[in-house]
Amino acid sequence: MENQNITFKQLNDDEQVPYELLLLADPSIEMIEEYLKSSFIFIVAQNNKIVGVIVLFPLSEDLVEIKNIAVEPEFQGQGIGSYLIENIIKVAIEQGYKEICIGTANSSIGQLYLYQKLGFELYEIKKNFFILHYPDKILENGIQAKHMIVLKRQL
Ligand code: ACO
């Protein structure tokens, strides 16, 4: 992302949380509200308009999780998702974490591709996670979202 009108920064407490974006990655507002209590939100803005969001959730002294990543639909496929992950990796390293993880559904084929391309490796399967935690059936790419695939990257 060489465009100089693009900025990456942590969202301040007095700034509005971009819920519409967060809901693109996670259809449960209840789950979002719950993890936001202990998370740090970072955004990417283009010409002062928020076009992407990424949420960092500490799991331990060494391990931090990307709980949510989303890019405005009309801005997807332009490298902003990769830019968000590359920048959040820098933040995690600066903050002293040793590992970063991200979980996505078995049906999220594009996301599984993107995360592995950026150095995340398959780590764990949380069986039936989306069936147990989400009331509505989630379909993606013609596949039901049932299991959460957790990927991890060393920092
Ligand atoms: N389907 C197919 N390919 C994809 C997808 C997808 N959903 N997402 C990314 N890719 C591919 C791109 O084609 C691109 O491939 P290339 O490098 O070979 O050209 C590569 O991944 C990088 O794409 P970017 O342009 O950097 O990513 P983008 O800005 O589109 O952001 C994101 C990716 C955040 C997943 C975006 O598609 C999005 O907001 N999707 C809806 C919300 C979502 O699913 N979030 C993730 C849920 S999991 C979680 O939040 C922990």
Side-chain angles (χ1 to χ4, degrees), residues 21-23 25-26 32 35 53-56 66-70:
L21 269 177
L22 296 172
L23 282 162
D26 186 341
I32 293 173
Y35 56 69
V53 67
I54 191 162
V55 174
L56 216 47
I66 298 171
K67 274 283 187 194
N68 189 308
I69 171 170

Side-chain angles (χ1 to χ4, degrees), residues 24-25 68-71 76-79 81-82 103 110-111 113-115 117:
L24 286 179
N68 189 308
I69 171 170
V71 172
Q76 289 175 13
Q78 300 174 23
S82 308
Q111 290 81 342
Y113 160 75
L114 171 61
Y115 307 150
K117 202 172 160 189

